[in-house]
Amino acid sequence: MDTAGKRDDAEKEGPRRAGKTLVEGAYETLRREILDGTFEPGTKLRTEELRTRYNISGSTMREALTRLLGEALVTTEGQRGFRVAPASIADFEDLTRVRVLVETEALRQAIAHGDEDWESQLVASFYRLSKVEERLAQDQKEAASDYEGRNRDFHNALIAACPSRWLHYIAGILFQQSERYRRLALAKRSIPRDLHAEHKAIFDAAIARDPDLASKYAAEHIERTLTALRIALEPTGVKERPRKERAKPKVSLGLED
Amino acid sequence: MDTAGKRDDAEKEGPRRAGKTLVEGAYETLRREILDGTFEPGTKLRTEELRTRYNISGSTMREALTRLLGEALVTTEGQRGFRVAPASIADFEDLTRVRVLVETEALRQAIAHGDEDWESQLVASFYRLSKVEERLAQDQKEAASDYEGRNRDFHNALIAACPSRWLHYIAGILFQQSERYRRLALAKRSIPRDLHAEHKAIFDAAIARDPDLASKYAAEHIERTLTALRIALEPTGVKERPRKERAKPKVSLGLED
DNA sequence: GTCAAAAGAAATATCGATATTTTAAGCGGC
DNA sequence: GCCGCTTAAAATATCGATATTTCTTTTGAC
């Protein structure tokens, strides 16, 4: 009966229409849970399990899963269900390279086309990001949950003035993909890193309308996360992952070799 | 009772596993029908209509539609169903630019990494493409249906040696997107065009392992289709599209301004 | 006659149950 | 004791029907 009434954990975002569809709800929740590692890469996603978890029917759950398919967060094969998209260093290396290609291009275009409104939005999102970075530096744990969102907002603000719909579309997918890896890299604290300084460098160059410099800093920023993750996983060496589906060392977090 | 037994219209392709899922079947058929213009851009896609067209149930149809969503071939909004993704010259311009960015990069990497096997596959697909181009030049209508497939194969063969999964993924989506526009541009024959020569130029440069030259020709090739479509739509001028959902002049084929 | 509220029709979103496959378990034979 | 075959169990894919929403049309006041 209360078919649509369990959305009381109303996402703080949701700018407009509260009348979200059940599919959308499950899709968003599951996406977040994949991104934040609740479901590790490679994990089997049984519809039965999920359908009870989100209190929706089988077909509806499937539709939500299929959406994630389009964002490459889950995979599916023939007659054997869905699972969380696998993750590996190799994939992250690839992802990083392509992200640099796409985001630097978008950034260049944004700098070329950006008007005053773009600048002010950028200033605002940089400020918000800085604030949470401060808190993060003081090791306030609750800051971490805010960080990812504001980081995304800042990166979006940077390229917001890029007129290319397709670049935005692609950049969005790639950015989201890297979220899983970013989380790992940051959690590990492998290399000392002044994220605020990195962001500020990009920000300053963008405001100064220097596309080459902004691109350079953006590329370095993106690539540094890859380095960080590489180092974080290095000491442990090439640890073989046990065959069993469950019960894998928490450290690996689903990363394949 | 014969729930799954009406797949006798087995697609002539289907290289492997005949045990295709109903969702996959509907998805593939609908995709083709969107790409070949059976369903024009912007058209409403009523599940009821489609579900009878493909003889499957509502939820199954929805799942197929949701897959197309992930390839940006259909759109959906809140509680008001699906429709074919809109198309416009502006979109094609954008698409073209991004395609150039992505495909030239992929091509460079392919040329850098390609081995002998890559070369031979490329030779083979170029040969097959040439054959159908010959037939096309003689105005053999049935050749047109083969053309698109072989053209795709050739373009894939060109970048096949590119090691980046993500570039392949993105290039695939963009190439597919442009298929709708390509069809229009070719049908119109706006500018005289020697497609074979264009392809040969890219091919020769790739085999000669000249990344700059190959990229240059590839970019020109991609951009030429945009020019062709621009000119094809020019004479008719900025024709306003009638508000009514159906009954639009066949010439526009769903293109928005 | 115009506009808007209200009733009706059409379409969408969702459910709960069933048919099909895939995976796991059990069971002789060699 | 290991392998392949037969059953049983689990999971997936699909259906047909229903509740909700949106879109149309009707109707009734002003």
Side-chain angles (χ1 to χ4, degrees), chain B residues 97-148:
Chain B
R97 281 198 207 94
V98 180
R99 249 191 93 195
V100 167
L101 176 72
V102 170
E103 279 195 45
T104 55
E105 175 60 25
L107 184 52
R108 281 174 191 282
Q109 294 188 16
I111 289 173
H113 291 84
D115 58 8
E116 209 170 56
D117 185 55
W118 166 66
E119 282 181 18
S120 45
Q121 290 295 133
L122 182 53
V123 170
S125 64
F126 177 66
Y127 178 79
R128 281 192 291 269
L129 179 59
S130 300
K131 281 301 171 186
V132 77
E133 281 168 339
E134 261 176 43
R135 279 190 281 144
L136 209 57
Q138 309 169 205
D139 262 330
Q140 296 183 231
K141 312 203 80 168
E142 22 72 50
S145 60
D146 289 338
Y147 178 76
E148 188 59 42

Side-chain angles (χ1 to χ4, degrees), chain B residues 191-211:
Chain B
I191 51 175
R193 198 173 169 187
D194 188 344
L195 281 168
H196 178 67
E198 292 179 29
H199 286 138
K200 184 166 192 312
I202 307 173
F203 171 74
D204 286 342
I207 294 292
R209 305 288 179 141
D210 186 333

